[in-house]
Amino acid sequence: DQQVKQNSPSLSVQEGRISILNCDYTNSMFDYFLWYKKYPAEGPTFLISISSIKDKNEDGRFTVFLNKSAKHLSLHIVPSQPGDSAVYFCAALTQGGSEKLVFGKGTKLTVNP
Amino acid sequence: DAMVIQNPRYQVTQFGKPVTLSCSQTLNHNVMYWYQQKSSQAPKLLFHYYDKDFNNEADTPDNFQSRRPNTSFCFLDIRSPGLGDAAMYLCATSGRTGEDQPQHFGDGTRLSIL
């Protein structure tokens, strides 16, 4: 019973265009969301996060949007670069509870030159 | 410069033969986590230590144990590995649980079972 779902296993975009990675969750107790990026043969690295009290958080080329009513978040990368090619994991937690990170299965992004 | 170091990167063991995976950190973080990740699956938390307090996930098999002898080191022991235990094992740390403490991951140990 997946509480965090990334329904697109893969996404391919052209360099310079926007990449949009989507994530849905089912547990309404989740109140903090994170995106991790993973290159082959490396561990996941933290990219950006958002608290449920916000609907947008931006860091350079990366923006995360949260729609609480739809239980949906998305990561926008603009402009996309070939070095962004990686697997992106969405994760969620409930603060003040177990604070356990629950991950999605990941979306493999390929940015073509 | 590595902050969370996992050894070895690749481990091969025989069915039923105990194996230990190791994780060390230079961040002086209070919390250390072990995840199991199978191919095309989400990382799944096995257990975590908050300082010396051990927190086991309800669905972690009894076959999996952990030790944290000091702040810097944490070990994952698999007592009798089965074929289904072949996976990537990821160690992570954080300063404490909570939103302002994203977890820092090591590069993982890929475990194969013969």
Side-chain angles (χ1 to χ4, degrees), chain B residues 66-110:
Chain B
S66 185
R67 296 170 283 136
R68 189 178 184 187
N70 54 52
T71 301
S72 301
F73 285 87
C74 195
F75 300 98
L76 169 61
D77 301 307
I78 309 177
R79 288 190 299 187
S80 182
L83 296 178
D85 297 329
M88 174 71 81
Y89 289 87
L90 294 164
C91 174
T93 74
S94 65
R96 58 180 183 275
T97 55
E99 66 174 60
D100 57 344
Q101 296 288 330
Q103 294 177 23
H104 298 259
F105 284 82
D107 287 339
T109 294
R110 182 164 294 284

Side-chain angles (χ1 to χ4, degrees), chain B residues 21-55:
Chain B
L21 310 182
S22 111
C23 177
S24 64
Q25 54 132 340
T26 59
L27 297 161
N28 205 33
H29 279 170
N30 295 97
V31 195
M32 294 187 78
Y33 306 81
W34 279 104
Y35 290 85
Q36 180 193 65
Q37 186 185 16
K38 297 188 177 180
S39 181
S40 301
Q41 298 294 312
K44 178 179 174 297
L45 183 65
L46 296 172
F47 23 58
H48 75 276
Y49 275 94
Y50 195 123
D51 293 324
K52 289 185 181 282
D53 282 339
F54 177 69
N55 299 272

Side-chain angles (χ1 to χ4, degrees), chain A residues 32 36 41-44 46 89 95 99-101 103-105, chain B residues 9 37 41-43 45 57 97-99 102-103 105-107:
Chain A
Y32 197 75
Y36 282 82
E42 294 184 12
F46 170 71
F89 289 97
Q95 296 175 78
E99 307 211 13
K100 164 184 154 180
L101 259 188
F103 283 88
K105 290 186 178 182
Chain B
R9 293 296 308 277
Q37 186 185 16
Q41 298 294 312
L45 183 65
E57 293 301 303
T97 55
E99 66 174 60
Q103 294 177 23
F105 284 82
D107 287 339

Side-chain angles (χ1 to χ4, degrees), chain A residues 57-71:
Chain A
N57 188 27
E58 191 172 352
D59 183 1
R61 296 186 296 115
F62 302 90
T63 303
V64 57
F65 295 92
L66 175 62
N67 181 335
K68 286 191 294 291
S69 59
K71 295 194 179 70

